[in-house]
Amino acid sequence: KLKAMGYTVDLLEEFDSRLNQYSGFALVSIHNDSCDYINDEATGFKVAAPSESQYQDRSERLEKCLIHRYQETTGLKFHVNTITPDMTSYHTFSEISSETTAAIIETGFLNLDYDIIRNQSELVADGIVAGIKCFIDKENIPDEFLSEMP
């Protein structure tokens, strides 16, 4: 979808050798959460910026854009209470160039969110693309949304 809009896009694997000092405008690491049934609250998505970044403001903006646009597009709730150090200190964040803005998104839980992840993957992709476009184009995020952020 981003390529169709004229952007250069690199699709990388989690342990891709090209991640070593990878340089780009933004890197979004896309994952799904557990497929195990945890409880009825294990539904929704998560987004995290690196806990440490040379340009923390840019990483936090990418994070907020992804959260707002993904939630708006998919209708899934932001599952903030389960963001872990595995996300905020994700290994890729320390491998890429310090000039590259990054974030990680877990698009939903593979158990309770299975339907949207498996059967509505275009909607999931649209939410991610909208978040990236928000960041690239410096689009506004509603003040009321920002005030609700943890």
Side-chain angles (χ1 to χ4, degrees):
K1 292 178 184 257
L2 289 168
K3 281 184 178 182
M5 294 176 194
Y7 293 99
T8 300
V9 176
D10 296 317
L11 183 60
L12 306 169
E13 299 292 329
E14 181 176 8
F15 296 103
D16 199 308
S17 61
R18 295 174 292 167
L19 285 167
N20 184 32
Q21 292 304 304
Y22 179 81
S23 182
F25 189 75
L27 181 135
V28 177
S29 189
I30 304 168
H31 301 259
N32 297 311
D33 212 322
S34 176
C35 58
D36 295 331
Y37 175 80
I38 299 166
N39 58 41
D40 289 343
E41 298 298 313
T43 178
F45 70 99
K46 297 183 267 190
V47 178
S51 56
E52 295 181 22
S53 172
Q54 181 171 337
Y55 301 101
Q56 198 67 35
D57 57 327
R58 290 191 332 215
S59 294
E60 289 173 3
R61 175 147 177 72
L62 176 59
E63 175 188 46
K64 289 172 183 164
C65 277
L66 284 166
I67 292 167
H68 183 259
R69 298 306 197 268
Y70 191 80
Q71 184 172 338
E72 188 176 65
T73 303
T74 65
L76 289 173
K77 69 176 184 168
F78 179 48
H79 204 271
V80 67
N81 297 332
T82 57
I83 292 174
T84 66
D86 288 337
M87 292 182 72
T88 58
S89 297
Y90 185 58
H91 70 89
T92 297
F93 297 156
S94 63
E95 297 169 16
I96 62 176
S97 165
S98 62
E99 299 288 320
T100 301
T101 302
I104 184 172
I105 182 170
E106 293 196 2
T107 61
F109 287 80
L110 281 168
N111 189 301
L112 295 180
D113 301 320
Y114 179 83
D115 183 62
I116 191 168
I117 292 169
R118 181 75 171 140
N119 300 321
Q120 299 177 57
S121 58
E122 289 296 314
L123 188 64
V124 169
D126 288 343
I128 296 168
V129 168
I132 294 169
K133 287 282 293 161
C134 167
F135 175 71
I136 291 170
D137 296 340
K138 298 182 175 137
E139 296 172 2
N140 288 328
I141 302 169
D143 289 339
E144 60 273 11
F145 176 79
L146 293 174
S147 65
E148 295 170 6
M149 291 284 299

